[in-house]
Amino acid sequence: MSQNRREQLRKAEQAAARQQRLTRIIGVGAGLLVVVIVAVFAVVLISQANKAATAAPTAGQATPPHALADNLGIRPYPNATPQAGAPVVELFFDYQCPICKQFETIYGASLEKLASSGQIDLRYRPMIFLDVNLQNDASLRAGVAAACADTAGKYREYHDQIFANQPEQEGAGYADSLLRDTLSTKAGLSGDALTSFQKCYDGKLTQTWVQAQEDAGEKAGVTGTPTFKVNGKDVALKEFSNVSADQLGELIKKFS
Amino acid sequence: MRERAAAGSWQRWVTLVARLILGVTLIVAGALKVTAIDAAINSVRAYKLLPFEVTALVGTALPIIEIVIGLMLVTGTFTRVAAVLGSGLMLAFIIGIISVWVRGISIDCGCFAPGGAIDASQTQYPLEVARDLGLLILGAWTIWRPTAPFALDAWLFADAEPITTDADQENPR
């Protein structure tokens, strides 16, 4: 009897221990799941709050006059008329990207020649994803400023000024005073044009358009800049390695 | 049970080291990315592997998953499960890096910081693959021998059967 009772006790103890073990395992497992779910919600909420902080002002948003429909960028040489059958050449760039500046320095003049003579249909497609990587908003503000300059017909001039004044160190960004006052004057804005440019810049009136260009670029599969497309097809940067500025036209022809 | 522990005693310490290295690496990698989710999403996009809509999900979830798996490994909670998940991550990273390498895309892996396109001369694919391969080996070891000192698993999976020694049998509380 005593043996039997002891056996029963032992069994009950074992069952209780097993139960406890199961409870522990399920409890810790469930706890981990809860932690993951809470963390995902927290991260999504925080990143959305950050996005709200950089949302464009709702009043007075404007599209630059030489912008293309469907957020396909802007025409840097709006006075040129592309010849029939001229290839569509798209340059995706970010104002904080050093290689974009290099690209502009080497090929900018050739692109101008080709576009002005109508041999190519040149489109500039500004992107701002480096803001995210560099944790600032300089690409956005530079993009807003360039788009504002388009209202006065000085997009191209202003665009050149931004790259010419790109900080040595990637990530240093562009000061408001540089974009608002210095570069605008250098790009040839004065008088009423300068005043309305500054009003546009202060009110960030082209921000919605600039952000839409970024989204459109991302959806077009552009994940790095500069990205060069001819008739919608990528021309990898390595294709440019032995191509001088004078040979750019031939390269474009090869890919069109 | 006792014998196995004795025979594998040095292995338990190898597991501890493996677990801690893989775990801490994952926590650091996750923590550096979780504060900049948009950048993490861009890093995922730079691989040009996943459909656009999926990249946002992966970019958001990846840092969190890394931190949680890292914490599980460091604390030794569900060690084997965590090691399987951690090794799976490493395998996925290796495949990802090799795939951009083969396709001639020049990116920073974005492993520990926001990644993205970089100059072809700055890519470090062999180094990145070697590092992840090393971590994968640590993970594989931990799957094979998950038992290690200082693990929450010891408490979590403590045997329901009382360890029966002679003394215990004589003295059943």
Side-chain angles (χ1 to χ4, degrees), chain B residues 70-95:
Chain B
L71 285 173
M72 285 167 76
L73 284 166
V74 167
T75 55
T77 313
F78 298 115
T79 309
R80 186 169 258 164
V81 174
V84 168
L85 295 174
S87 304
L89 275 184
M90 289 306 145
L91 200 62
F93 294 159
I94 291 168
I95 292 170

Side-chain angles (χ1 to χ4, degrees), chain B residues 4 7-16 18-19 79-80 83 138-148:
Chain B
R4 214 203 303 165
S9 66
W10 64 272
Q11 292 181 343
R12 291 159 49 88
W13 295 98
V14 173
T15 301
L16 179 66
R19 210 182 81 192
T79 309
R80 186 169 258 164
L138 296 181
W141 173 279
T142 310
I143 296 171
W144 183 50
R145 287 276 182 269
T147 313

Side-chain angles (χ1 to χ4, degrees), chain A residues 14 18 24 43 132 218 223, chain B residues 37 39 45 48 115 155 160-161:
Chain A
Q14 270 176 8
R18 262 199 297 274
R24 275 201 305 269
V43 165
V132 166
E218 286 177 11
T223 55
Chain B
I37 284 300
R45 279 181 191 150
K48 300 188 183 182
W155 164 76
E161 303 287 332

